[in-house]
Amino acid sequence: MKKGKWLAASLLVLLTMTGCGSKSLTCTSEANSLGMEMKSTISAKFKGDKLNSMNVTVDVKLPDSMKDQKKTIMESYEKENTVKDAKIKETKDGFKVEGSADAKSLGTENNAKYDDVKKVLESANYKCK
């Protein structure tokens, strides 16, 4: 009987560590605005079928004509940023914006399901896999 309990407990720990019941969704988009090339990646993690957290990365490449304005553009992005913990880092060709949020801070604790999130992102011209 002890071996059975030990085996069941070990199996439970293994399933918990491997994320049984969890899904992830990665969506990408490319856009060009005012000559700036922007590549966006959204990684969403789900617990069961409900959204648990999201990570967003936007890599902005500035045209040569805007390189002198890089600092000003980055400051503008910082001021307009609505994601609480987003970080803006300078890169060789522009800058990168990275942020993350859990379902509670997104206000989607019980609403956002995998298929719904995928549909919304695809309707915003993201390619999801």
Side-chain angles (χ1 to χ4, degrees):
M1 190 70 159
K2 283 187 177 183
K3 284 185 182 180
K5 287 182 181 178
W6 174 252
L7 181 61
S10 297
L11 185 58
L12 181 61
V13 169
L14 179 64
L15 289 174
T16 303
M17 289 174 60
T18 58
C20 181
S22 64
K23 294 181 186 180
S24 63
L25 177 67
T26 301
C27 302
T28 58
S29 173
E30 293 185 22
N32 193 315
S33 176
L34 302 171
M36 297 183 291
E37 294 176 26
M38 294 176 273
K39 293 181 182 179
S40 303
T41 302
I42 296 177
S43 299
K45 294 191 190 287
F46 298 82
K47 229 177 204 176
D49 195 40
K50 294 182 181 177
L51 181 65
N52 189 39
S53 65
M54 286 183 121
N55 294 317
V56 179
T57 303
V58 181
D59 195 4
V60 180
K61 183 178 178 183
L62 299 173
D64 290 337
S65 62
M66 297 176 94
K67 299 262 179 176
D68 293 340
Q69 302 165 356
K70 185 191 298 190
K71 296 280 188 206
T72 305
I73 295 169
M74 288 174 60
E75 288 170 3
S76 171
Y77 265 80
E78 270 184 317
K79 287 178 185 173
E80 293 177 20
N81 179 25
T82 58
V83 178
K84 181 179 153 189
D85 295 324
K87 294 174 179 53
I88 299 175
K89 301 175 189 173
E90 187 172 357
T91 62
K92 179 184 172 193
D93 296 324
F95 58 95
K96 183 182 278 191
V97 181
E98 297 177 310
S100 61
D102 61 16
K104 185 175 182 180
S105 47
L106 289 168
T108 60
E109 293 134 303
N110 298 313
N111 312 351
K113 293 188 167 67
Y114 182 91
D115 290 336
D116 297 332
V117 171
K118 185 176 179 185
K119 242 183 247 183
V120 167
L121 290 172
E122 287 177 337
S123 70
N125 296 319
Y126 280 84
K127 293 180 179 131
C128 299
K129 53 181 177 170

PDB file of all heavy atoms in Angstrom, residues 7 10 13 31 45 49 52 54 58 62 88 90 109 118 124:
ATOM      1  N   LEU A   7       3.947   6.033  -5.397  1.00  0.00           N
ATOM      2  CA  LEU A   7       3.864   6.123  -6.854  1.00  0.00           C
ATOM      3  C   LEU A   7       2.866   7.211  -7.267  1.00  0.00           C
ATOM      4  O   LEU A   7       3.151   8.022  -8.153  1.00  0.00           O
ATOM      5  CB  LEU A   7       3.457   4.775  -7.453  1.00  0.00           C
ATOM      6  CG  LEU A   7       3.353   4.698  -8.973  1.00  0.00           C
ATOM      7  CD1 LEU A   7       4.702   5.005  -9.612  1.00  0.00           C
ATOM      8  CD2 LEU A   7       2.880   3.338  -9.407  1.00  0.00           C
ATOM      9  N   SER A  10       4.400  10.635  -6.525  1.00  0.00           N
ATOM     10  CA  SER A  10       5.454  10.922  -7.505  1.00  0.00           C
ATOM     11  C   SER A  10       4.854  11.324  -8.850  1.00  0.00           C
ATOM     12  O   SER A  10       5.328  12.249  -9.507  1.00  0.00           O
ATOM     13  CB  SER A  10       6.355   9.703  -7.700  1.00  0.00           C
ATOM     14  OG  SER A  10       7.003   9.384  -6.504  1.00  0.00           O
ATOM     15  N   VAL A  13       3.486  14.898  -8.638  1.00  0.00           N
ATOM     16  CA  VAL A  13       4.576  15.885  -8.693  1.00  0.00           C
ATOM     17  C   VAL A  13       5.088  16.009 -10.120  1.00  0.00           C
ATOM     18  O   VAL A  13       5.301  17.113 -10.622  1.00  0.00           O
ATOM     19  CB  VAL A  13       5.725  15.497  -7.728  1.00  0.00           C
ATOM     20  CG1 VAL A  13       6.957  16.341  -7.978  1.00  0.00           C
ATOM     21  CG2 VAL A  13       5.266  15.652  -6.285  1.00  0.00           C
ATOM     22  N   ALA A  31       4.865  45.026 -39.088  1.00  0.00           N
ATOM     23  CA  ALA A  31       4.207  46.234 -39.589  1.00  0.00           C
ATOM     24  C   ALA A  31       5.263  47.285 -39.897  1.00  0.00           C
ATOM     25  O   ALA A  31       6.398  47.205 -39.431  1.00  0.00           O
ATOM     26  CB  ALA A  31       3.227  46.763 -38.544  1.00  0.00           C
ATOM     27  N   LYS A  45       0.214  32.138 -22.260  1.00  0.00           N
ATOM     28  CA  LYS A  45       0.201  30.855 -21.554  1.00  0.00           C
ATOM     29  C   LYS A  45      -1.174  30.670 -20.938  1.00  0.00           C
ATOM     30  O   LYS A  45      -1.753  31.602 -20.389  1.00  0.00           O
ATOM     31  CB  LYS A  45       1.280  30.821 -20.489  1.00  0.00           C
ATOM     32  CG  LYS A  45       2.676  30.869 -21.078  1.00  0.00           C
ATOM     33  CD  LYS A  45       3.719  30.556 -20.024  1.00  0.00           C
ATOM     34  CE  LYS A  45       5.101  30.824 -20.516  1.00  0.00           C
ATOM     35  NZ  LYS A  45       5.679  29.982 -21.445  1.00  0.00           N
ATOM     36  N   ASP A  49      -7.933  25.918 -20.253  1.00  0.00           N
ATOM     37  CA  ASP A  49      -8.337  26.682 -21.428  1.00  0.00           C
ATOM     38  C   ASP A  49      -8.374  28.184 -21.146  1.00  0.00           C
ATOM     39  O   ASP A  49      -8.741  28.975 -22.002  1.00  0.00           O
ATOM     40  CB  ASP A  49      -9.728  26.205 -21.894  1.00  0.00           C
ATOM     41  CG  ASP A  49     -10.062  26.680 -23.301  1.00  0.00           C
ATOM     42  OD1 ASP A  49      -9.152  26.667 -24.158  1.00  0.00           O
ATOM     43  OD2 ASP A  49     -11.214  27.078 -23.531  1.00  0.00           O
ATOM     44  N   ASN A  52      -3.571  32.586 -18.614  1.00  0.00           N
ATOM     45  CA  ASN A  52      -2.854  32.720 -17.347  1.00  0.00           C
ATOM     46  C   ASN A  52      -1.911  33.927 -17.375  1.00  0.00           C
ATOM     47  O   ASN A  52      -1.839  34.687 -16.424  1.00  0.00           O
ATOM     48  CB  ASN A  52      -2.080  31.434 -17.046  1.00  0.00           C
ATOM     49  CG  ASN A  52      -1.493  31.412 -15.667  1.00  0.00           C
ATOM     50  OD1 ASN A  52      -2.116  31.862 -14.719  1.00  0.00           O
ATOM     51  ND2 ASN A  52      -0.285  30.914 -15.553  1.00  0.00           N
ATOM     52  N   MET A  54       0.619  36.694 -20.319  1.00  0.00           N
ATOM     53  CA  MET A  54       1.051  37.073 -21.668  1.00  0.00           C
ATOM     54  C   MET A  54       2.377  37.805 -21.595  1.00  0.00           C
ATOM     55  O   MET A  54       2.599  38.586 -20.659  1.00  0.00           O
ATOM     56  CB  MET A  54       0.050  38.017 -22.331  1.00  0.00           C
ATOM     57  CG  MET A  54      -1.211  37.396 -22.801  1.00  0.00           C
ATOM     58  SD  MET A  54      -2.218  38.642 -23.640  1.00  0.00           S
ATOM     59  CE  MET A  54      -2.354  37.895 -25.233  1.00  0.00           C
ATOM     60  N   VAL A  58       8.148  43.822 -28.769  1.00  0.00           N
ATOM     61  CA  VAL A  58       8.065  44.586 -30.012  1.00  0.00           C
ATOM     62  C   VAL A  58       9.475  45.067 -30.322  1.00  0.00           C
ATOM     63  O   VAL A  58      10.078  45.802 -29.546  1.00  0.00           O
ATOM     64  CB  VAL A  58       7.111  45.793 -29.895  1.00  0.00           C
ATOM     65  CG1 VAL A  58       7.048  46.545 -31.219  1.00  0.00           C
ATOM     66  CG2 VAL A  58       5.724  45.349 -29.451  1.00  0.00           C
ATOM     67  N   LEU A  62      14.564  51.392 -36.726  1.00  0.00           N
ATOM     68  CA  LEU A  62      14.392  52.748 -37.245  1.00  0.00           C
ATOM     69  C   LEU A  62      15.131  52.924 -38.565  1.00  0.00           C
ATOM     70  O   LEU A  62      16.238  52.414 -38.737  1.00  0.00           O
ATOM     71  CB  LEU A  62      14.930  53.768 -36.236  1.00  0.00           C
ATOM     72  CG  LEU A  62      14.260  53.789 -34.867  1.00  0.00           C
ATOM     73  CD1 LEU A  62      15.012  54.725 -33.927  1.00  0.00           C
ATOM     74  CD2 LEU A  62      12.820  54.215 -34.993  1.00  0.00           C
ATOM     75  N   ILE A  88      11.986  49.143 -21.949  1.00  0.00           N
ATOM     76  CA  ILE A  88      12.412  49.579 -23.270  1.00  0.00           C
ATOM     77  C   ILE A  88      13.932  49.594 -23.289  1.00  0.00           C
ATOM     78  O   ILE A  88      14.557  50.220 -22.432  1.00  0.00           O
ATOM     79  CB  ILE A  88      11.842  50.968 -23.612  1.00  0.00           C
ATOM     80  CG1 ILE A  88      10.316  50.897 -23.611  1.00  0.00           C
ATOM     81  CG2 ILE A  88      12.372  51.458 -24.945  1.00  0.00           C
ATOM     82  CD1 ILE A  88       9.626  52.215 -23.821  1.00  0.00           C
ATOM     83  N   GLU A  90      17.479  49.943 -25.741  1.00  0.00           N
ATOM     84  CA  GLU A  90      18.056  50.405 -27.000  1.00  0.00           C
ATOM     85  C   GLU A  90      18.748  49.237 -27.687  1.00  0.00           C
ATOM     86  O   GLU A  90      19.404  48.418 -27.055  1.00  0.00           O
ATOM     87  CB  GLU A  90      19.054  51.531 -26.719  1.00  0.00           C
ATOM     88  CG  GLU A  90      19.572  52.189 -27.965  1.00  0.00           C
ATOM     89  CD  GLU A  90      20.410  53.428 -27.665  1.00  0.00           C
ATOM     90  OE1 GLU A  90      20.543  53.813 -26.491  1.00  0.00           O
ATOM     91  OE2 GLU A  90      20.938  53.984 -28.636  1.00  0.00           O
ATOM     92  N   GLU A 109      -9.337  37.332 -15.925  1.00  0.00           N
ATOM     93  CA  GLU A 109      -9.194  36.130 -15.099  1.00  0.00           C
ATOM     94  C   GLU A 109     -10.079  34.964 -15.517  1.00  0.00           C
ATOM     95  O   GLU A 109      -9.627  33.840 -15.585  1.00  0.00           O
ATOM     96  CB  GLU A 109      -9.468  36.442 -13.626  1.00  0.00           C
ATOM     97  CG  GLU A 109      -8.432  37.336 -13.036  1.00  0.00           C
ATOM     98  CD  GLU A 109      -9.044  38.444 -12.232  1.00  0.00           C
ATOM     99  OE1 GLU A 109      -9.857  39.195 -12.791  1.00  0.00           O
ATOM    100  OE2 GLU A 109      -8.694  38.544 -11.064  1.00  0.00           O
ATOM    101  N   LYS A 118      -6.840  33.529 -29.547  1.00  0.00           N
ATOM    102  CA  LYS A 118      -6.277  33.271 -30.876  1.00  0.00           C
ATOM    103  C   LYS A 118      -7.071  34.017 -31.953  1.00  0.00           C
ATOM    104  O   LYS A 118      -6.490  34.652 -32.831  1.00  0.00           O
ATOM    105  CB  LYS A 118      -6.269  31.772 -31.160  1.00  0.00           C
ATOM    106  CG  LYS A 118      -5.602  31.417 -32.465  1.00  0.00           C
ATOM    107  CD  LYS A 118      -5.528  29.918 -32.672  1.00  0.00           C
ATOM    108  CE  LYS A 118      -4.876  29.615 -34.003  1.00  0.00           C
ATOM    109  NZ  LYS A 118      -4.882  28.197 -34.309  1.00  0.00           N
ATOM    110  N   ALA A 124      -6.355  40.734 -35.665  1.00  0.00           N
ATOM    111  CA  ALA A 124      -5.465  41.908 -35.631  1.00  0.00           C
ATOM    112  C   ALA A 124      -4.215  41.665 -36.483  1.00  0.00           C
ATOM    113  O   ALA A 124      -3.190  42.306 -36.297  1.00  0.00           O
ATOM    114  CB  ALA A 124      -5.082  42.229 -34.191  1.00  0.00           C
TER     115      ALA A 124
END
